[in-house]
Amino acid sequence: MDERWRLSRRQILKGMAAAGALTTAELAWWDEPLIAPRRAWGAQPVRFQFSVPEPKRTALVESLAQRFNQSQKDFEVKVEFVPQAQARQKLITSIAAGTPPDVAQVWDNWVGEFDGMNAVEDLTPKVRDWSGYKDVLPLAWETVTVKKRILSFPWVVTNDGVYWRTDRAKEYGAKPPKDDWNFDDFLAYAKTMTKPDKNQYGFGMRGQGTWAVLYATEFMYANGAQVLGKDGKVAINSKEAAEALDWYLDLFRKHKVCPPSVPTDGWRGIVEGFGRGVTNSYIHNSGSSEEQKDFVKPENFATVPLPFGPAKKRSSFYFSETLTPFKAGKAREGGFKFMAWAMEPEPHFMYSKALGLLPARKTVAERPEFTRDPALAGFIKSFPFSIVSPYLAHAGWGGKLDSEGVPLFQQALVGRLTAREFLDKFAEVLSKNMS
Amino acid sequence: MAREATLARPLARPLLTRRAREVLTGYLYLLPVVIALGATVVVPIVRAIQMSLYRNVLIKPQEYGFIGLGNYARLLDDDVFWLSLWNSFYWVFGSVSLQFLGGFVAALLLHQSFQGRAAVRTLTLLPWIIPGVVVALIWEYLYQPNYGALNDLLARAGLMTDKVAWLSNPSLAMPAVIATNVWRGVPFFAIMLLAGLQAIADELYEAARVDGAGVLERFWHITLPMLRPIIVVATATRIIWTFNYADLIFVMTSGGPANATQITSTYTLLQAYSNLDFGYAATLSVVLLLIMLAFTLLYLRVTRGVEPVA
């Protein structure tokens, strides 16, 4: 055989390594094969509950857990996937039964409830000793601080902004939304972009779920309203709030710039409406930006901050997806190690980027992948006026927003209550449940 | 060879009489069922009644305590409860009556002989086979006002100009979810009634025909009376199921818009898992149980149960 065609063992190994590297390069981070040796036997299991809204996250989190397991030998994270709709319910029942997971991924508005159940522990001293403490945005810590105690790690954060169609705005001659736009500009855009004959509407308003009330509240804040007054009492039924809410509801009731499905449009409804081209703008956090890149294509949409109201004010509610450990967990040390590891720059970057959410760590958030992405611009520009949701003030409000606030809001939407009547009833619900 | 004398000994008097032993044996056979039903039905009911007498909001463990009939008093003042109760009756009556009518018509058609009958009978069962949550998602999509198939079909047929928000309009939402439930429940009645129809002897119809009875008379005097036991059992079962059935509404509208489709079972879920108020949720469950018991007893009395007609 010709010697030129004979491969040495070293050449074969090099070739195999190169092929492996090429294959890996084509894969997403969470799909990459693990090359580190398996962890030693006898590691303490750490139960981690993760709620799944979409399949991409399953692979990502499974990969994260495996990487953590490879990085040390004392603990082994076992992910327990649950459907997102059942996550809160499952946690509550497991807490009541005394068998919560060691760590769970939960939204910040649940943390206060779990604190009320005496299910979470004060992490303040441990967190302050953690090396990345000062690199996490203070506002992010605020989302997980209840009664001056830090109860979780803010894994990723986000705030609300407006998604709008750049291509259609050009096509219909609409004035493109600017960073400092106001209510009038918003209405003008929505009107120009409403084409009922083409089954297109200017604005996809949310009418179902807690955030239906939160988005409306952001418009009330733009007119100078507050949920709580300076005396700590509920002040959401103010004149300013009623005026702004009337204006907001009229987008659907009077101006008809929203699709008829609004009263039952939840998160899926508004994201799909924009993705399918039925609506030409909607309010949401950065979490749907990746999805819209697939649906609408990155060049056809952008994001912009919420508009200024008549009071020359505006706000965007800021919230976090947290990693929360539970008091009754059996592997609390392992749980803390896992959370601290997940907040390390690389896993933190990968998780945030893959989901379109923003990192809680300043050094990671400053990376160009976030700052130069037009789909995220509206959210990053909203940081200066972002505030933690005022509804986090009382743990008792969490469930009531959904069970009583939303049906009342829907009554206002369909004209069974005026804005003022809704706010009076809503204020009564909030006042009764301050705890 | 000497014979051993066998002395007759008087039999010891048994502890229990033969009749008592038979009765006891019968009850022993029932014991496993009693234990199983006790553990799965009686204990949860007793626990629910007990829980309904306590203030038990999971996020306020410090307020946990016995409050007697406090939750029941609160229920009397709860406007959403009364609305949900009214909605429940609307939902149950609308669903079951239309399911029954549709099922009866389907059963009568499937009872006729025609080519491909077996295949049609199998296909009829499809809506019943599909899980409730999947049915809800399919119909939610069909009703979607912006890109749903129903509006598109109606518009193409020239029957509609403006888009109808089937699930988002408070006046239409309940009829829309009832229509979905009817679609799902018709096969249940169709199969039950078809089985009943097949059990009616042809001789009865032949005799009636000889006596000059027309189609309607035969239906009224033979078919309906012979099917009565099945109709009573099937409707009673279906009424109870529908009253407690929350999946469809929970997925399609979550009780909205503006509580237009809030029924007592979805309201109970909301109290338990949104408000974490297990005491109040238990109270709603107990009231629901009492209503269903009263309703079933009344229904069986009015329809004279499943005894054959004299």
Side-chain angles (χ1 to χ4, degrees):
Chain A
M1 194 176 178
D2 189 342
E3 284 298 314
R4 284 174 302 177
W5 294 103
R6 181 170 288 172
L7 290 171
S8 69
R9 187 189 296 165
R10 182 164 292 187
Q11 280 172 314
I12 291 173
L13 286 172
K14 274 184 184 170
M16 284 171 69
L22 280 172
T23 315
T24 307
E26 288 298 308
L27 292 170
W29 179 77
W30 55 89
D31 288 330
E32 287 172 21
L34 289 162
I35 49 170
R38 289 292 303 163
R39 164 201 55 79
W41 288 104
Q44 187 184 14
V46 176
R47 287 173 58 210
F48 173 46
Q49 180 180 308
F50 187 85
S51 60
V52 192
E54 35 146 351
K56 190 202 269 183
R57 288 198 183 198
T58 314
L60 174 64
V61 170
E62 197 65 74
S63 173
L64 269 176
Q66 284 189 30
R67 272 156 211 276
F68 170 74
N69 294 342
Q70 299 293 349
S71 71
Q72 45 73 54
K73 58 182 173 50
D74 299 324
F75 303 100
E76 184 187 13
V77 166
K78 291 186 172 172
V79 190
E80 296 172 4
F81 291 105
V82 294
Q84 195 170 44
Q86 275 86 52
R88 180 170 168 267
Q89 176 185 330
K90 199 166 163 19
L91 277 173
I92 290 161
T93 44
S94 67
I95 290 166
T99 55
D102 298 302
V103 179
Q105 163 239 24
V106 304
W107 293 104
D108 55 4
N109 54 334
W110 303 349
V111 177
E113 289 182 337
F114 298 148
D115 183 48
M117 294 173 79
N118 199 23
V120 285
E121 63 177 315
D122 183 4
L123 297 177
T124 316
K126 275 182 171 177
V127 159
R128 289 212 169 124
D129 286 344
W130 170 60
S131 59
Y133 173 72
K134 286 186 179 160
D135 191 34
V136 172
L137 296 155
L139 207 55
W141 284 126
E142 211 182 303
T143 61
V144 291
T145 302
V146 178
K147 294 171 190 160
K148 297 181 180 168
R149 294 162 305 142
I150 295 173
L151 304 176
S152 323
F153 274 95
W155 200 3
V156 279
V157 295
T158 189
N159 50 7
D160 295 327
V162 182
Y163 288 77
W164 65 283
R165 285 291 293 258
T166 49
D167 56 336
R168 284 189 181 167
K170 199 181 281 178
E171 185 186 340
Y172 301 148
K175 191 177 152 193
K178 286 187 179 168
D179 295 343
D180 60 347
W181 63 335
N182 59 30
F183 276 20
D184 292 336
D185 299 328
F186 185 94
L187 180 59
Y189 171 85
K191 277 183 172 173
T192 313
M193 301 296 278
T194 299
K195 306 280 175 198
D197 51 320
K198 292 183 175 178
N199 192 28
Q200 286 180 24
Y201 298 87
F203 175 54
M205 185 186 287
R206 183 165 176 174
Q208 190 160 280
T210 305
W211 264 270
V213 178
L214 263 70
Y215 296 155
T217 311
E218 285 170 331
F219 280 81
M220 295 182 224
Y221 266 62
N223 198 31
Q226 297 274 322
V227 170
L228 283 170
K230 283 178 186 163
D231 56 358
K233 288 183 181 165
V234 174
I236 192 65
N237 50 345
S238 64
K239 183 174 151 281
E240 293 79 15
E243 281 171 4
L245 183 63
D246 239 345
W247 181 89
Y248 183 70
L249 293 171
D250 275 350
L251 294 170
F252 173 69
R253 296 183 310 198
K254 185 177 155 194
H255 303 299
K256 313 273 181 210
V257 294
C258 309
S261 55
V262 166
T264 44
D265 272 346
W267 161 75
R268 194 158 54 91
I270 55 168
V271 174
E272 263 191 32
F274 189 79
R276 289 171 181 268
V278 175
T279 60
N280 287 322
S281 72
Y282 73 107
I283 298 171
H284 195 229
N285 61 64
S286 59
S288 53
S289 61
E290 289 299 309
E291 213 169 320
Q292 300 303 3
K293 283 177 187 170
D294 291 337
F295 285 150
V296 182
K297 303 300 165 203
E299 62 276 18
N300 293 333
F301 80 97
T303 58
V304 67
L306 282 151
F308 278 102
K312 310 282 178 212
K313 289 181 178 177
R314 61 175 164 180
S315 69
S316 169
F317 294 161
Y318 186 87
F319 56 94
S320 65
E321 188 181 311
T322 76
L323 286 169
T324 303
F326 291 91
K327 254 185 199 170
K330 290 188 175 65
R332 283 154 73 182
E333 193 198 333
F336 190 86
K337 276 201 167 174
F338 172 63
M339 292 187 299
W341 178 88
M343 292 293 291
E344 288 301 315
E346 207 48 29
H348 190 45
F349 169 79
M350 290 302 176
Y351 186 78
S352 315
K353 188 61 196 153
L355 302 182
L357 295 170
L358 304 167
R361 292 189 69 148
K362 285 180 259 184
T363 48
V364 181
E366 281 159 7
R367 288 173 68 155
E369 288 87 344
F370 298 103
T371 52
R372 288 189 196 157
D373 185 346
L376 298 178
F379 306 101
I380 291 169
K381 286 173 184 165
S382 300
F383 276 147
F385 56 89
S386 287
I387 57 167
V388 173
S389 163
Y391 297 110
L392 290 184
H394 294 280
W397 287 357
K400 290 288 175 185
L401 269 184
D402 205 28
S403 65
E404 296 189 37
V406 173
L408 285 172
F409 178 71
Q410 290 174 334
Q411 288 189 44
L413 260 178
V414 298
R416 287 185 177 175
L417 291 177
T418 62
R420 160 64 68 188
E421 286 167 342
F422 158 71
L423 288 170
D424 284 341
K425 283 175 185 278
F426 185 47
E428 203 181 312
V429 171
L430 296 180
S431 299
K432 272 187 195 167
N433 293 283
M434 290 170 82
S435 58
Chain B
M1 200 165 87
R3 280 188 175 180
E4 282 182 23
T6 307
L7 290 174
R9 274 193 216 150
L11 278 172
R13 191 185 165 81
L15 195 63
L16 297 169
T17 63
R18 181 191 169 92
R19 174 78 190 131
R21 283 203 309 275
E22 279 176 3
V23 170
L24 195 65
T25 311
Y27 278 115
L28 274 174
Y29 281 124
L30 278 178
L31 198 59
V33 178
V34 171
I35 292 171
L37 280 179
T40 57
V41 178
V42 180
V43 172
I45 289 174
V46 172
R47 278 285 292 145
I49 294 170
Q50 185 202 15
M51 207 188 281
S52 72
L53 304 174
Y54 281 77
R55 178 164 169 77
N56 184 5
V57 184
L58 289 189
I59 55 163
K60 295 176 184 169
Q62 68 282 4
E63 290 178 15
Y64 179 83
F66 182 76
I67 54 164
L69 297 176
N71 282 325
Y72 292 88
R74 181 180 151 196
L75 187 132
L76 293 175
D77 281 337
D78 184 350
D79 294 340
V80 181
F81 164 71
W82 292 109
L83 174 68
S84 71
L85 195 61
W86 166 250
N87 283 344
S88 293
F89 286 120
Y90 180 11
W91 158 251
V92 171
F93 181 76
S95 298
V96 178
S97 57
L98 293 174
Q99 283 173 359
F100 172 73
L101 285 176
F104 212 146
V105 171
L108 290 170
L109 291 173
L110 292 171
H111 191 50
Q112 310 304 312
S113 16
F114 56 88
Q115 219 172 6
R117 187 171 68 168
V120 175
R121 280 181 180 176
T122 312
L123 284 175
T124 311
L125 265 179
L126 264 181
W128 184 247
I129 294 166
I130 303 172
V133 173
V134 179
V135 169
L137 289 171
I138 293 170
W139 278 82
E140 193 190 355
Y141 183 75
L142 291 174
Y143 282 136
Q144 222 294 333
N146 311 318
Y147 43 82
L150 187 60
N151 273 357
D152 189 53
L153 284 174
L154 290 172
R156 281 171 198 266
L159 298 170
M160 192 181 75
T161 46
D162 291 334
K163 290 197 179 300
V164 178
W166 299 99
L167 297 175
S168 308
N169 181 331
S171 316
L172 295 176
M174 186 57 102
V177 289
I178 287 175
T180 306
N181 199 22
V182 169
W183 179 82
R184 180 154 198 258
V186 160
F188 169 79
F189 278 104
I191 295 301
M192 294 287 280
L193 296 172
L194 181 62
L197 286 172
Q198 286 172 336
I200 302 173
D202 287 342
E203 290 80 6
L204 288 172
Y205 290 108
E206 280 165 25
R209 207 174 286 123
V210 170
D211 289 341
V215 174
L216 284 178
E217 283 168 312
R218 290 202 298 272
F219 176 75
W220 190 255
H221 294 291
I222 299 173
T223 310
L224 267 187
M226 296 300 284
L227 285 179
R228 201 176 63 82
I230 289 180
I231 292 172
V232 170
V233 171
T235 43
T237 317
R238 199 75 194 125
I239 284 168
I240 296 167
W241 279 349
T242 309
F243 209 87
N244 292 321
Y245 186 43
D247 312 19
L248 213 59
I249 288 181
F250 204 74
V251 174
M252 291 177 79
T253 62
S254 303
N259 287 324
T261 57
Q262 196 73 268
I263 56 171
T264 37
S265 50
T266 54
Y267 190 51
T268 308
L269 273 175
L270 199 69
Q271 289 300 331
Y273 293 110
S274 240
N275 289 345
L276 310 180
D277 193 343
F278 279 72
Y280 194 51
T283 309
L284 288 165
S285 307
V286 171
V287 171
L288 211 67
L289 173 76
L290 293 176
I291 291 171
M292 281 325 298
L293 272 178
F295 190 80
T296 311
L297 286 174
L298 188 72
Y299 180 78
L300 290 177
R301 173 164 284 201
V302 169
T303 56
R304 287 174 292 156
V306 291
E307 296 300 317
V309 186

